[in-house]
């Protein structure tokens, strides 16, 4: 197998991964708080398969990881008292059995114990790091722009919202949650504004993603044709050498 086919295969593998990422973006275009992702490709110099006139080194295309755009999504009204939309750079902190997790998904509810939780049942963290518990019999829950939670004239807690100086430390763990992979703790996000009865939409732009999907598909087809042409040239060369002998 010659170098052109090796390089083509490396490019095909990266394009296949990019197709998966774009398809995931399109599938999550209506997911609350979802952030659009894109593939980061890189090249890696390697020695050629043979040295008969081949350039040194041959540069193969590799998957360099996934980049995530944490840009603000639009806010839309739901009217639910426990729906919260974040305006600004920050994340809700939720408590799980595996440690704290972070999300922009503000679809909260009350469980049977009166705790404010995510749709998956993880407790929303308060400012002090503990759970937020309300008594449904004490009246309507009101959440101010700074996250202060009240029932009537009684303040019962404050929603914890944090920020990260380096967003690359956040890793997806499923259920629209992110994990902090660094040793440094997140900082409070005092400038964030919370909007009760609203949610943040995904920042995916479907038309742009579909356009990317078409472009990547065409690139994949082009690489396939190039590899077929290269294999056909090699086959013809072998046939001619055989006839000459």
């Amino acid at each position: 197998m010659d170098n052109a086919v090796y390089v083509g295969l490396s490019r095909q593998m990266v394009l296949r991964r990019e197709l998966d990422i774009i398809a995931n973006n399109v599938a999550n275009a209506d997911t609350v708080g979802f952030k659009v992702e894109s593939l980061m490709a890189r090249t890696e110099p390697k020695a050629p398969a043979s040295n008969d006139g081949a350039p040194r080194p041959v540069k193969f295309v590799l998957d360099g990881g996934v980049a995530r755009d944490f840009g603000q999504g639009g806010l839309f009204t739901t009217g639910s008292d426990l729906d919260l939309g974040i305006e600004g750079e920050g994340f809700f902190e939720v408590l799980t059995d595996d440690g704290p997790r972070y999300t922009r998904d503000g679809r909260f509810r009350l469980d049977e114990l009166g705790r404010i939780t995510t749709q998956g049942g993880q407790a929303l963290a308060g400012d002090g790091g503990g759970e937020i518990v309300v008594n449904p019999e004490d009246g309507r829950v009101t959440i101010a722009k700074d996250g202060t939670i009240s029932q009537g004239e009684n303040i019962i807690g404050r929603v914890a919202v944090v920020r990260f100086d380096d967003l690359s430390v956040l890793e997806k763990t499923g259920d629209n949650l992110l994990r902090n992979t660094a040793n440094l703790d997140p900082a409070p996000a005092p400038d964030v504004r919370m909007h009760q009865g609203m949610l943040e939409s995904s920042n995916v732009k479907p038309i742009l993603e579909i356009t990317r999907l078409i472009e990547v598909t065409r690139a994949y087809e082009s690489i396939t044709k190039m590899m077929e042409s290269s294999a056909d040239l090699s086959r013809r060369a072998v046939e001619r050498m055989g006839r000459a002998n």
Side-chain angles (χ1 to χ4, degrees), residues 28-205:
N28 285 282
D30 293 326
T31 300
V32 174
F34 180 83
K35 300 304 177 184
V36 66
E37 298 174 341
S38 59
L39 182 70
M40 297 186 296
R42 62 185 177 88
T43 60
E44 182 169 318
K46 291 288 186 180
S50 63
N51 58 6
D52 295 335
R56 285 183 175 273
V58 173
K59 294 184 178 180
F60 294 90
V61 187
L62 298 177
D63 182 347
V66 177
R68 191 169 294 112
D69 179 2
F70 284 99
Q72 177 78 44
L75 297 175
F76 62 95
T77 301
T78 66
S80 174
D81 288 343
L82 293 181
D83 281 348
L84 284 178
I86 291 181
E87 180 185 358
E89 297 181 5
F91 299 87
F92 299 112
E93 182 175 343
V94 298
L95 308 174
T96 75
D97 294 337
D98 298 318
R101 295 292 184 264
Y102 307 93
T103 186
R104 299 273 296 194
D105 187 345
R107 294 174 297 169
F108 300 113
R109 63 182 181 86
L110 288 183
D111 68 5
E112 63 278 3
L113 300 177
R115 302 180 308 165
I116 299 179
T117 70
T118 65
Q119 295 297 307
Q122 297 92 352
L124 175 65
D127 242 0
E131 301 173 349
I132 303 173
V133 182
V134 303
N135 185 349
E137 297 180 358
D138 289 345
R140 179 175 180 266
V141 174
T142 303
I143 304 175
K145 301 288 187 185
D146 64 353
T148 300
I149 303 175
S150 305
Q151 284 186 285
E153 298 180 355
N154 299 321
I155 296 177
I156 59 176
R158 189 169 181 268
V159 178
V161 179
V162 298
R163 62 183 298 274
F164 294 84
D165 292 330
D166 182 7
L167 294 174
S168 67
V169 303
L170 294 174
E171 177 183 77
K172 290 172 65 174
T173 61
D175 294 330
N176 221 358
L177 300 176
L178 300 165
R179 178 175 71 93
N180 178 13
T181 62
N183 293 325
L184 297 177
D185 293 328
D191 297 330
V192 163
R193 293 165 61 87
M194 275 168 271
H195 299 270
Q196 185 178 20
M198 301 184 76
L199 292 172
E200 180 188 11
S201 63
S202 162
N203 66 353
V204 173
K205 298 178 180 178

